[in-house]
């Protein structure tokens, strides 16, 4: 895929006070922000208007803005990767554009123009090209967001919105390889419910996870395994990531039933595994089945997949019923192979037969 050269050029106001670049060996995640941001307004009756790239800085919001009261907000996450040859590529940005446009409806947010999303991000990243790091495992994280801005306290959808995109350099999520994490199996509280907003990347889904994640940390766990909201039986997501299991040589992941985010890394993982000829199943998996497979020795691997970490290996599933240690607590071969395959395409080290890389 390539970015259209004929797309309208978005006006740029350059910063007069560029900030110093952080050292690339200690970037962490979400701590540093590049010099510019993309901003687009929405006004009912006019659509998405006045795209502009401006210096990174505070937004001005009326205290009655509906996002502050009723939570009409959604976001996306993708990255720009410094290629082996020095150029910069995005990875499947059209999928983020599509997810934001289709997820918006459930939140009564007007769909963003998908072409504007991709072209705007390509132009923004080019303006801040110097901010794309090049140390191994680093990238420029891109955070598109939509918020409702109408100053009105009646409970209905806002008539005005702001779409903004900020970016910032991030490090390898886990320095030194795929560090397995310890996960708390949460049997009471839920992240999302079928019929709710779990399939959209709504800010509110993340609020629902914070208290539980904090308690998991107090128990010595890194994150939470979310079960379904109705019977608290079926595994759904892990932390902020989609969940994959390898059971008896088959890659298994829960189906997108309305409460699960349609992850772009999830989609990529399933496509690559199928290309390898690996059996892949999208089906319900109960925590009972996980426990049984573990007892029989057929639960080979468990891992989360998402943009930030690509693959996050689950070493232990902890609950009141005791610990399940998976693959001796070490990363398994499928997690390792998927991580390598995806990151090698992202950094331009391997061929890209499906056209997932977008060189900008
Ligand atoms: C991801 O795994 O990419 C996420 O969704 C995490 C993000 C909210 C920081």
């Amino acid at each position: 895929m390539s970015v259209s050269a004929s797309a309208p050029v978005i006006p740029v106001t350059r910063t007069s006070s560029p900030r110093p670049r952080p050292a690339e060996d200690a970037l962490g995640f979400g701590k540093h922000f590049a010099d510019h941001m993309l901003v687009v307004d929405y006004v009912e009756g006019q659509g998405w208007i006045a795209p502009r790239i401006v210096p990174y800085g505070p937004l001005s919001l009326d205290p009655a803005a509906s996002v502050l009261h009723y939570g009409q907000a959604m976001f996306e996450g993708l990255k720009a990767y410094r290629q082996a040859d020095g150029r910069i590529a995005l990875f499947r940005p059209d999928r983020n554009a599509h997810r934001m446009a289709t997820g918006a409806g459930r939140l009564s947010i007007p769909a963003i123009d998908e072409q504007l999303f991709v072209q705007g991000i390509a132009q923004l990243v080019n303006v801040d090209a110097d901010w794309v790091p090049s140390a191994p495992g680093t990238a420029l994280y891109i955070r598109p967001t939509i918020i409702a801005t109408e100053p009105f306290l009646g409970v209905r959808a806002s008539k005005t919105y702001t779409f903004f995109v900020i970016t910032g350099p991030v490090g390898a999520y886990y320095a030194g390889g795929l560090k397995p994490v310890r996960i708390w199996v949460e049997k009471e509280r839920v992240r999302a419910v079928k019929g709710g907003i779990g399939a959209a990347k709504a800010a509110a889904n993340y609020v629902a996870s914070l208290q539980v994640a904090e308690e998991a940390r107090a128990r010595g766990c890194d994150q939470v395994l979310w079960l379904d909201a109705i019977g608290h039986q079926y595994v759904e997501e892990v932390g902020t990531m989609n969940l994959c299991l390898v059971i008896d040589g088959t890659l298994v992941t829960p189906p997108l039933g309305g409460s699960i985010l349609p992850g772009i890394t999830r989609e990529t993982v399933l496509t690559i595994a199928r290309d390898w000829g690996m059996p892949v199943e999208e089906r319900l998996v109960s925590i009972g089945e996980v426990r049984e497979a573990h007892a029989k020795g057929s639960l080979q691997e468990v891992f989360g997949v998402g943009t930030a970490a690509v693959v996050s290996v689950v070493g232990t599933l902890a609950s009141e019923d005791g610990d399940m240690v998976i693959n001796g607590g070490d990363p398994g071969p499928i997690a390792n192979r998927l991580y390598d395959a995806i990151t090698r395409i992202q950094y331009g080290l391997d061929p890209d037969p499906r056209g997932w890389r977008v060189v900008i």
Side-chain angles (χ1 to χ4, degrees), residues 19 31-38 56 78 80 121 124-125 128-129 131-132 139-144 164-170:
R19 281 173 290 178
K31 296 191 296 187
H32 307 286
F33 300 99
D35 279 329
H36 298 87
M37 60 186 189
L38 169 66
Y56 181 99
L78 66 160
I121 287 173
L124 175 67
V125 173
D128 277 330
W131 281 88
V132 182
L140 187 78
Y141 185 73
I142 302 164
R143 171 53 64 86
F164 62 88
V165 183
I166 54 174
T167 73
V170 296

Side-chain angles (χ1 to χ4, degrees), residues 29 75 141 143 201 206 240-241 306-309:
F29 181 85
F75 68 94
Y141 185 73
R143 171 53 64 86
K201 211 162 169 71
Y206 295 78
T240 59
M241 306 177 85
T307 298

